[in-house]
Amino acid sequence: MSDSSSAGQMIKFLCEVGKLKHSPRRGWVHQNIPQPETISGHMYRMAVVSLICLQSIEEINLDKVLKLSLVHDIAECIVGDIIPSDNISKEKKHEQELAAIKSLCELLPNGRAHVLESLFNEYEDQETPEAKLTKDLDRFDMVLQAFQYEKSETERNGKLAILADFFHEDRVLNHIQNPQIKALIDEILKQRKDFQAKRASNSS
């Protein structure tokens, strides 16, 4: 493949994944949140947390976590953001996303295609410490975003957004394994409790 052809394929790849810059996270759309975050925005903040906010962890490669954060939802540029209300099984979702990854890999040189597919499979398999930490980051960013929306929606229309499901222990909090992420979520829960108490006091 010539340099010109390779560059052309790379531009096609970047245009494909660039769709994530404008693709809203459908979980928030389903909650009627105005101007919801994009898929790429979600992945970006996960990467920032791994780069800046976490201390070095023995036996965990944080550089790998950063890469997994930037890749874990990349297939959604083709299949879209599939949410539980779509009634698509985990197996079918994985099948669709794997096909999307293979399609993206066709636009990349073999070495880079292997990196993308390997990172995607590592996250999906959830067997390495890095993949498990990335999953914790995924849940953490959702909790933080839900709290931000509760505050912004209260300020916007005076009503607290009904987002309690995103703080449910069985759905989210009990699945967090990493102690640093647990500490960050504990801080969010403390701030949320203070916010609700202040709101209740102001409305009484």
Side-chain angles (χ1 to χ4, degrees):
M1 183 180 293
S2 68
D3 289 345
S4 176
S5 176
S6 178
Q9 293 291 91
M10 191 67 74
I11 293 300
K12 288 182 180 179
F13 169 82
L14 292 173
C15 287
E16 280 294 314
V17 300
K19 294 175 182 176
L20 298 175
K21 295 168 63 177
H22 311 286
S23 301
R25 294 256 284 167
R26 288 186 58 235
W28 305 125
V29 174
H30 192 67
Q31 295 291 330
N32 298 312
I33 298 295
Q35 297 181 320
E37 67 169 339
T38 63
I39 297 168
S40 65
H42 162 64
M43 294 194 298
Y44 168 76
R45 186 159 65 181
M46 285 175 59
V48 170
V49 174
S50 67
L51 179 65
I52 302 296
C53 302
L54 297 183
Q55 297 179 357
S56 296
I57 304 169
E58 187 176 356
E59 298 181 355
I60 293 182
N61 182 343
L62 289 180
D63 285 342
K64 171 68 77 65
V65 175
L66 186 154
K67 293 175 182 178
L68 290 169
S69 296
L70 292 173
V71 164
H72 79 289
D73 280 341
I74 201 169
E76 293 178 11
C77 70
I78 293 177
V79 302
D81 185 12
I82 298 171
I83 60 176
S85 61
D86 293 328
N87 294 318
I88 295 176
S89 69
K90 289 183 179 180
E91 294 75 16
K92 185 65 175 177
K93 179 177 182 289
H94 176 73
E95 180 182 316
Q96 292 180 2
E97 292 183 343
L98 185 57
I101 289 294
K102 290 186 179 300
S103 178
L104 290 172
C105 285
E106 289 177 359
L107 300 174
L108 297 173
N110 287 338
R112 296 178 187 182
H114 174 74
V115 169
L116 175 60
E117 188 168 11
S118 176
L119 287 168
F120 174 78
N121 287 330
E122 179 174 349
Y123 178 77
E124 288 290 296
D125 292 341
Q126 283 295 297
E127 293 179 352
T128 66
E130 289 81 8
K132 292 175 181 178
L133 177 53
T134 306
K135 187 64 178 180
D136 278 357
L137 286 175
D138 185 42
R139 295 186 174 109
F140 163 74
D141 187 66
M142 181 182 68
V143 171
L144 177 55
Q145 191 63 60
F147 179 45
Q148 288 185 280
Y149 284 143
E150 285 187 336
K151 292 190 294 183
S152 64
E153 284 301 281
T154 299
E155 181 177 340
R156 187 178 70 89
N157 58 26
K159 296 181 180 180
L160 185 65
I162 304 174
L163 299 175
D165 282 351
F166 294 93
F167 300 89
H168 198 282
E169 289 186 357
D170 290 338
R171 179 185 175 185
V172 180
L173 303 184
N174 288 344
H175 295 282
I176 302 297
Q177 301 179 44
N178 181 268
Q180 292 188 63
I181 302 300
K182 285 183 178 179
L184 290 171
I185 287 184
D186 284 345
E187 176 61 24
I188 294 172
L189 296 178
K190 176 183 177 297
Q191 291 187 20
R192 184 173 184 254
K193 184 178 180 179
D194 292 344
F195 168 73
Q196 292 175 335
K198 182 177 180 180
R199 180 177 179 275
S201 175
N202 292 339
S203 62
S204 62

